[in-house]
Amino acid sequence: MKKLWPALGILISLLNLEVLGTDSSDRILWQENFSRFPAGFRPGCYHDGKGEVLVENGKHFYRFPGGFMLGSGWNYYGASHWKNYVLRFQLRFTSKASLYLVVKRGGWREKFNYLWYYVTITPAQVSVNAHNLTDTKEDLPPRKIEPVLETGRWYDFEIKVTARNIQVCVLDGKEKRILWNQEVLAGGGGIDFHGSVGFDLTNIEVEELESK
């Protein structure tokens, strides 16, 4: 019996690892850290090959050339199917730049049908609004970022998107700061990074929220 205990312990540990791994990986909808591309490579899957992958201290990242990351702007990861998820990514501003992040594609409220939802992040402010094809948009109150984000420094962002709410957070060291949190128009998911020239991006991960 004594000889069986070590074997049983190993078996239980392996089972626990398997369960933990399954729970975590099953909720990851999409991720990209650019490590599959060598330094100097211009991946055709992003910006039609206009952006460049760089490596710094072993860390791979993507230098944003401006425009929609997926090229045409009509192809979104998740399409309209992601409704409850957390989007994480690392962002570094290298100049005065703006990230226009699409976090929802297609939604509604009464007669207002939107094509996409933008979360706009600059070093000094977060603003959120919905756009449709007639250039009509619903602007929500912007929030100032204080202190202003530094250029040349990596920041960890976390954006929680549900059917009717968007929360934007930045992790500053061990502190998690909520930059923007408000009810929004109902609708589905689907993400695309869009923005101006002047920032670096890496460690993108979309995790599905557990259903309650």
Side-chain angles (χ1 to χ4, degrees):
M1 187 69 181
K2 291 181 179 179
K3 294 181 179 179
L4 289 176
W5 283 116
L8 286 172
I10 293 171
L11 179 60
I12 291 169
S13 297
L14 289 173
L15 288 172
N16 285 336
L17 285 173
E18 184 177 350
V19 169
L20 288 171
T22 301
D23 287 346
S24 176
S25 61
D26 282 354
R27 294 201 301 271
I28 301 301
L29 301 173
W30 180 67
Q31 57 188 173
E32 175 67 90
N33 65 5
F34 304 102
S35 62
R36 59 196 174 110
F37 304 113
F41 191 78
R42 296 180 180 272
C45 55
Y46 303 129
H47 287 105
D48 299 324
K50 297 175 184 176
E52 184 179 10
V53 174
L54 300 172
V55 181
E56 201 174 82
N57 299 321
K59 181 175 187 170
H60 289 66
F61 60 92
Y62 183 69
R63 180 144 291 175
F64 221 79
F68 280 101
M69 188 169 172
L70 299 182
S72 66
W74 295 98
N75 298 313
Y76 295 78
Y77 282 108
S80 59
H81 305 298
W82 296 347
K83 292 183 172 60
N84 297 283
Y85 63 90
V86 176
L87 167 63
R88 301 181 184 93
F89 57 92
Q90 289 186 312
L91 179 70
R92 177 172 67 176
F93 288 105
T94 56
S95 64
K96 292 182 179 179
S98 299
L99 169 62
Y100 311 112
L101 176 64
V102 177
V103 295
K104 286 169 171 269
R105 180 177 184 262
W108 57 91
R109 180 184 285 166
E110 297 176 351
K111 295 181 179 180
F112 189 97
N113 295 305
Y114 65 84
L115 180 65
W116 58 59
Y117 238 109
Y118 271 140
V119 173
T120 302
I121 301 175
T122 69
Q125 182 174 281
V126 174
S127 58
V128 178
N129 54 56
H131 290 253
N132 69 14
L133 287 175
T134 62
D135 291 330
T136 304
K137 63 181 182 178
E138 179 180 84
D139 289 316
L140 295 165
R143 299 286 188 274
K144 291 183 178 179
I145 299 176
E146 295 176 339
V148 172
L149 302 181
E150 301 173 23
T151 57
R153 174 182 171 184
W154 285 103
Y155 287 94
D156 292 280
F157 280 89
E158 183 177 286
I159 299 180
K160 182 178 178 182
V161 182
T162 61
R164 293 183 178 274
N165 198 84
I166 294 175
Q167 182 185 85
V168 181
C169 298
V170 64
L171 280 67
D172 194 351
K174 294 183 179 180
E175 182 184 2
K176 184 175 180 179
R177 294 161 50 197
I178 297 177
L179 304 179
W180 198 94
N181 183 40
Q182 191 163 320
E183 182 180 352
V184 297
L185 302 177
I191 68 166
D192 194 355
F193 287 85
H194 179 210
S196 59
V197 176
F199 60 84
D200 299 325
L201 179 69
T202 194
N203 291 334
I204 307 167
E205 179 181 272
V206 182
E207 180 181 354
E208 185 175 26
L209 290 171
E210 292 184 84
S211 56
K212 296 181 179 180

